Amino acid sequence: YHDEMPWLALPFPDRARKEALSQFFGVEGIPSFVMIGPDLKVINPSARSSVGADPEGAEFPWKPKLVTDVDEECEGINDTLTMVVLMEEVGERWEELTAAMTAVAKDVRAGEEERGEDSRSALFMVVTETGGGIGAQLRKVCGMGRPTGKPEMVLLDLAQGGFAKHATGAEVNEAAIRQHIGDYMAGKLALETPKPAR
């Protein structure tokens, strides 16, 4: 690969520096792509899929998106608090619900930046496609059943071993998203244990 890469690279025999960099940036597997800025601060600790999906470089420097589709980018879902809105059967509300998620995600990210936190304390994801992807697996492990004509919401805290569903049939909008994540962070919601996916 070394001859094909347009960027600087360590010589293969330099394992000590490679290991030090891997440990510093939290690299657990290859390929891995960490985007850093001119100040050497991490912009995106896992930019691989963002870079791969943007061959023209239009979204450079590939900051992590505030809201992602779980079936396209779910990096961090296992170890970071993640709000998920499932809206497979409500295509007419995708823009509205994504905008609501983005508004909440912007505020959460602004708070993280004010506190000087480089890493994200919460992720925001949507499920838009039916089928056998990650969204379908989330429905199974969270006991949510098949998609309906109403959006649904679940907060995942897989690092703590569970999830907190929004009340079945309750409205999903910006206020509900804010309240659900706020209630969880305030200790007002108990986690349910995931069901085994079959």
Side-chain angles (χ1 to χ4, degrees), residues 51-123:
V51 172
D54 183 25
E56 302 300 317
E59 296 191 25
F60 178 83
W62 304 290
K63 290 182 178 180
K65 292 184 178 172
L66 291 173
V67 178
T68 60
D69 189 306
V70 74
D71 284 312
E72 294 173 10
E73 173 60 57
C74 66
E75 183 74 32
I77 197 170
N78 290 325
D79 51 19
T80 307
L81 183 68
T82 305
M83 175 64 76
V84 181
V85 170
L86 300 98
M87 50 183 172
E88 303 97 315
E89 298 292 328
V90 288
E92 70 280 359
R93 292 192 60 197
W94 285 2
E95 284 184 32
E96 167 207 340
L97 292 167
T98 301
M101 288 279 278
T102 301
V104 177
K106 278 183 183 176
D107 289 347
V108 169
R109 186 67 195 132
E112 293 161 348
E113 289 172 350
E114 276 180 25
R115 295 186 299 272
E117 297 172 7
D118 290 331
S119 60
R120 298 184 57 190
S121 61
L123 302 176

Side-chain angles (χ1 to χ4, degrees), residues 172-188:
V172 176
N173 54 31
E174 183 179 334
I177 294 165
R178 285 185 190 282
Q179 182 170 354
H180 198 64
I181 198 165
D183 285 351
Y184 180 74
M185 290 179 161
K188 295 179 182 178

Side-chain angles (χ1 to χ4, degrees), residues 126-173:
V126 296
V127 178
T128 58
E129 300 296 323
T130 57
I134 295 170
Q137 291 301 313
L138 283 176
R139 285 190 167 283
K140 287 178 187 173
V141 300
C142 296
M144 297 179 78
R146 295 187 185 281
T148 67
K150 294 191 94 171
E152 297 172 90
M153 182 168 58
V154 63
L155 187 69
L156 305 173
D157 196 344
L158 301 178
Q160 296 300 316
F163 62 91
K165 286 189 282 192
H166 186 53
T168 303
E171 182 59 36
V172 176
N173 54 31

